[in-house]
Amino acid sequence: PLRRAEPAATAGGPVAPIEGDGARLNLGATWSTGGWVGDARYSVNRGYGAYRGALDVALSRQLSERWQVSMLAQGTQQFAEYRFGDGRTMGLGARARYAAGRVKADGHLALYRHEFEHRPGYGDYNQLRGQLGLTVGFGNEPGARPAGVEGGLK
């Protein structure tokens, strides 16, 4: 038997539109004197049903033409209205950089603490993160020139 086509199902009531507005704020400051460099960055992202804020602070010391060391502190908080609870991450770490001619190497090691509030199934934990990097410049690109040469790496 043939069936008559029924109209598509419709919702019983009006559906509220999803808000499309949000706001983003980024602030930063850098200070340097006598081989010391301080850097701070703050950001806030707010949108419909969500929030994320972050703060990054670093203090660096240029030990010589080739060596630089840094101490880092980082923090992030996020909240999503459509999930339970919120989360925070805080970290402390250190970085060392070495540059010789066209070769640059850097290493970064930090310990992070992840904490959750009112979020079932998530436990607080620590995380150790490390990173090693090696950059070798080549060719005639201006950024690949050795340190000390006009237009070269600083």
Side-chain angles (χ1 to χ4, degrees):
L2 296 175
R3 293 184 187 218
R4 186 170 58 133
E6 297 290 330
T10 58
V15 178
I18 294 178
E19 297 292 328
D21 60 345
R24 177 177 292 170
L25 171 70
N26 295 296
L27 299 172
T30 301
W31 161 83
S32 65
T33 184
W36 289 94
V37 178
D39 187 70
R41 305 277 171 222
Y42 177 71
S43 66
V44 174
N45 295 299
R46 296 187 69 99
Y48 182 67
Y51 160 86
R52 181 179 186 274
L55 175 65
D56 298 307
V57 179
L59 180 63
S60 302
R61 175 74 173 150
Q62 191 75 36
L63 300 176
S64 69
E65 283 291 318
R66 295 184 178 196
W67 282 100
Q68 181 188 50
V69 294
S70 305
M71 296 298 296
L72 313 165
Q74 301 170 316
T76 301
Q77 182 176 16
Q78 63 182 5
F79 170 76
E81 187 174 320
Y82 302 111
R83 291 190 295 185
F84 292 109
D86 65 65
R88 280 183 300 283
T89 302
M90 297 155 286
L92 291 174
R95 176 178 29 222
R97 291 184 173 166
Y98 177 81
R102 293 182 178 211
V103 177
K104 291 192 307 181
D106 72 336
H108 174 226
L109 186 65
L111 178 64
Y112 291 88
R113 174 73 179 163
H114 301 272
E115 295 181 350
F116 303 95
E117 284 189 21
H118 311 296
R119 194 176 283 185
Y122 287 82
D124 298 348
Y125 65 95
N126 293 330
Q127 182 182 46
L128 186 62
R129 296 182 189 175
Q131 175 183 340
L132 294 174
L134 180 65
T135 304
V136 179
F138 60 90
N140 292 326
E141 194 270 323
R145 294 183 187 145
V149 174
E150 185 177 334
L153 300 172
K154 293 182 181 181

